[in-house]
Amino acid sequence: MLLKDKVIFLTGGTEGIGFECAKIYHAAGAKLAIVSNSERSIDEARSTLQSVEVLYLKADVSVAAAIRQAIAKTVDYFGKIDVIHNNAGISNPSKAIHETTADEWDVLFDVNVKSIFNTTRYGIDELKKTHGNILNTSSLVGDMGQEIHAAYSATKGAVNALTKSMALDYAPYGIRVNAVAPAGVWTPMLRAWSQQQPDTNSIENYLDNIHALGYCPEGDVVADACLFLVSDQARFVTGCILPVSGGAELGYRRVLNQTI
């Protein structure tokens, strides 16, 4: 019970990596406030994970007032917050930067980056009380870049920089700040992304091959790493961008070398 009696505020927690995290956090003893902007997604998650120790909140992470209210409801319900896991994110559009519209750019940064600003702004006082921690879901592309995903890669590069800067800012309060950086992970978002790529027929083979371990995993492998980072097992880890990538930073090069 690594997270016994811990209260975790988890955004984007009703599907994909977020829901895998929700399940493993709950199994480890945590109480959860799970945020999603989709009523349908909340209903589907509730059908699998329902408990008096799980509070579902419909809110748009990019809207400050909505997150302020969600934080307040969490504290009213559970009495505290020990962990904020900023997992909510989107990847659209699959375009080069000159093809990306201003609206697409703004939505990407609002969901992937501004959301962290919002949860931290309204949740940091609670974390100071509990000497809690923050976990951000980033991506390997934030460090490596990715073709036809310039705007998305830029948001994840921003998440990485934020993570390190926040780790320095909040260390004096005993608050740790870390990030996980997956490569390919089979989630609803990745499946939708796959259908947007130029060669959809070969995308599964491509995603398997970019990982040095030879396969594209499900979200549970990332959730296991997240469990470690938010728990006291990682009590001396902060400012870390942890790849959970199956060696994809090597695998990309392996695929590239095979095609030359």
Side-chain angles (χ1 to χ4, degrees):
M1 300 292 281
L2 286 176
L3 302 178
K4 183 174 174 56
D5 296 326
K6 299 291 187 183
V7 176
I8 300 180
F9 186 87
L10 170 64
T11 68
T14 55
E15 59 183 36
I17 291 172
F19 192 53
E20 293 298 329
C21 287
K23 290 186 290 184
I24 198 170
Y25 292 164
H26 185 255
K31 302 172 183 178
L32 300 173
I34 301 177
V35 177
S36 172
N37 68 345
S38 167
E39 196 70 52
R40 174 199 57 77
S41 185
I42 288 173
D43 288 342
E44 289 178 358
R46 187 183 282 119
S47 69
T48 301
L49 182 60
Q50 186 170 17
S51 166
V52 295
E53 296 185 341
V54 179
L55 175 66
Y56 289 95
L57 298 166
K58 185 180 179 183
D60 184 335
V61 294
S62 69
V63 177
I67 292 304
R68 179 177 59 202
Q69 186 177 52
I71 292 283
K73 286 181 177 179
T74 301
V75 175
D76 285 345
Y77 191 83
F78 292 119
K80 63 172 183 171
I81 297 175
D82 296 283
V83 178
I84 294 174
H85 182 173
N86 296 298
N87 177 73
I90 58 174
S91 61
N92 290 335
S94 297
K95 298 178 180 177
I97 195 70
H98 71 281
E99 298 171 326
T100 303
T101 69
D103 285 344
E104 288 168 337
W105 175 275
D106 288 344
V107 170
L108 267 168
F109 273 86
D110 282 351
V111 174
N112 292 2
V113 184
K114 190 178 181 181
S115 59
I116 298 175
F117 169 73
N118 288 335
T119 61
T120 304
R121 183 182 179 192
Y122 296 113
I124 194 63
D125 286 342
E126 295 303 320
L127 295 184
K128 287 179 180 179
K129 295 174 187 175
T130 58
H131 302 290
N133 69 84
I134 297 171
L135 179 63
N136 300 321
T137 299
S138 185
S139 169
L140 202 62
V141 303
D143 179 57
M144 296 181 61
Q146 187 178 25
E147 62 184 341
I148 64 170
H149 288 86
Y152 173 69
S153 298
T155 66
K156 294 305 184 178
V159 170
N160 292 350
L162 266 176
T163 298
K164 294 176 183 180
S165 296
M166 290 165 63
L168 292 171
D169 286 340
Y170 301 129
Y173 302 99
I175 296 171
R176 302 182 297 107
V177 186
N178 295 293
V180 287
V185 179
W186 284 118
T187 64
M189 187 169 76
L190 184 68
R191 296 187 189 282
W193 170 89
S194 297
Q195 296 306 306
Q196 300 170 19
Q197 303 316 300
D199 185 1
T200 57
N201 292 329
S202 65
I203 198 67
E204 287 196 25
N205 186 58
Y206 165 77
L207 288 168
D208 285 340
N209 285 334
I210 64 171
H211 299 87
L213 291 179
Y215 68 98
C216 184
E218 301 291 332
D220 60 316
V221 302
V222 183
D224 285 342
C226 292
L227 174 62
F228 165 70
L229 285 173
V230 302
S231 77
D232 289 341
Q233 299 265 316
R235 61 192 175 277
F236 205 63
V237 179
T238 196
C240 173
I241 315 297
L242 178 66
V244 188
S245 61
E249 60 271 35
L250 308 173
Y252 277 116
R253 299 186 182 97
R254 181 165 60 89
V255 171
L256 179 64
N257 289 339
Q258 288 176 347
T259 61
I260 292 176

